[in-house]
Structures are given as C-alpha cells and as structure tokens.
Amino acid sequence: MHSFLIKRSVLVIVFAVSTFSLSLAAKKHSAIRNINLAGLIVNAQTLAPVEAAEIYDDSNKLLGATDKNGYYKVVIAYAKTGAIKFSLKIKKKGYQTFSQHENWADFTGGASAAMYFGLRELNSKASSFTDFGDKNNLSYDNVLAGFSKVSAQKEFNDKLAAAKAGNENVLIHIDDKYYVVASSGWIGIKSDKDTIVLNDKTILLANELNSAVKRSSIKWMTPLPPKGEKVAIHTKN
C-alpha cells in the first residue's frame, strides 16, 4: 500500500514538473516578438544599389544580404521583454562597416520598419546615412517607391553641407529658400526679411544674422507661432 502511494506521489510530482516546464516553454515562446525589417542599401555617394551587403544582428549572427537591387528583408526574433533595443551591423567589402543602434517602444506584437542605408566606400568623402520609410508595406516595389524621398533628402543634405563649408553663417540660402542653421539642425523661413528674436531681447532681420551671430555659438533655437518673430535663438554664454 505504501509502495503504491509513493509511486503515485512520484507520478504526480513528475506530471507537475512536466506541466510547469511546458508552461515556461510556452511563455518563453509567446514572449518572442518578430522585428521585420526591409529596405535598400546603397552607395552613400552615388546612391547606386549595393549588392551582397551582409546584415548582422548584435550577436554577430548573419540575418541576410542584399540582392542585385540592393534590397534586403530580414527578421529578428526578439526574446527580451520591455522596450525593443537592437543593433544592426552592415558589412560589404570595399565599404566602411556601418552600425545602427535602435531603441523602440514596447511593441507587444512585434514591429516592422523600412530602413534605408547609405554605405561609405573606403577612401570616399561621402557620409554614411540611415533613413526610414513606410513600415506598413515592406515589398520591394513599395520600398523602392519610398526611396525618392530619401534621395531628395540626401540631395538637400549635400547642398546644405556645401553651403556650410568654410563659414559660420546662420542664414543660408538654398534653391530660393532660406534656412536658419545651427550646428545641430535647421529651421526653414519664408524670407530673409523675417524677424528673429535673439536671447529673448534683441529683434533683428534674418539677413542680419550672419553679421550678428556665429553658427557655433548657438545653444538652441526654436520656431515661433505664425504671428510675430519667426525663430527664437539662444546663444552660449
């Protein structure tokens, strides 16, 4: 009788442990969130597709590579809880290795993103870049359609960099448009006659900025409501 009870108890314990293990495995499996990524990898200078560029995760696992069109589509099985944090590393012979670090919100059902990368060729003066596109459709056709915006932004960034080279100008004129530019960003304005408020006390016209302020001296700036001055600028002490 005692032997029967012992065997029965052992069976109950084994069953409970097995059930608990299966429960843990199920929870672990359900915690995995897929991060679906797709996009184009191009030459940062020419914007030509880069074929056979390899994409690695932060554990140096190969996720995939680009095709002849520079298109890639990969999935990261993310097993951690909380905010989604991950890194990508892109390698291609003849190009500088590029790393991208992402910190996203706690998306419970996983996440998707279209990500465009510009790789800098070795000995090139171009800068590597990253941009984002439509996350709802990761097909090649949709990713390619979204690249026109990336290309336009790249063209503007190149023109802005050229306009900033060798000077400390704050007001910059590009393609019949005016921009108030600091080291950390820019604000578009309608005219060089727009009014600017400097350090909460001095009001001047935009076309007076370059003789009054150096770009490197700007601490922060912000656009203002439509009426009155257009931009507020604060300089470093």
Side-chain angles (χ1 to χ4, degrees), residues 72-92:
Y72 70 91
K73 190 172 184 180
V74 299
V75 178
I76 299 175
Y78 194 80
K80 298 177 182 179
T81 58
I84 295 176
K85 300 178 182 180
F86 67 94
S87 298
L88 296 174
K89 185 177 291 185
I90 301 172
K91 297 181 179 180
K92 168 68 178 178

Side-chain angles (χ1 to χ4, degrees), residues 89-109:
K89 185 177 291 185
I90 301 172
K91 297 181 179 180
K92 168 68 178 178
K93 186 176 180 180
Y95 289 81
Q96 183 181 47
T97 297
F98 183 81
S99 296
Q100 178 77 11
H101 306 285
E102 293 295 321
N103 188 351
W104 296 356
D106 183 7
F107 297 111
T108 56

Side-chain angles (χ1 to χ4, degrees), residues 12-76:
V12 169
I13 292 170
V14 170
F15 176 77
V17 170
S18 300
T19 303
F20 180 70
S21 299
L22 288 172
S23 176
L24 283 179
K27 287 182 179 180
K28 183 177 180 181
H29 180 73
S30 64
I32 293 177
R33 293 173 286 176
N34 285 337
I35 305 173
N36 298 287
L37 304 174
L40 299 177
I41 298 178
V42 300
N43 183 303
Q45 183 169 347
T46 67
L47 300 185
V50 176
E51 184 179 1
E54 296 178 333
I55 302 106
Y56 295 84
D57 66 10
D58 44 18
S59 63
N60 212 33
K61 175 187 175 183
L62 178 63
L63 299 173
T66 55
D67 62 16
K68 64 180 181 179
N69 299 310
Y71 175 72
Y72 70 91
K73 190 172 184 180
V74 299
V75 178
I76 299 175

Side-chain angles (χ1 to χ4, degrees), residues 170 195-204 208-209 211-214 217-221 224 229 231-236:
V170 175
T195 50
I196 311 295
V197 59
L198 181 63
N199 293 324
D200 292 329
K201 56 184 180 181
T202 303
I203 296 177
L204 65 164
E208 299 174 304
L209 278 172
S211 60
V213 185
K214 290 184 177 180
S217 71
I218 296 177
K219 185 177 182 180
W220 59 266
M221 62 183 189
L224 295 174
E229 291 74 37
V231 178
I233 295 176
H234 277 249
T235 57
K236 302 171 184 176

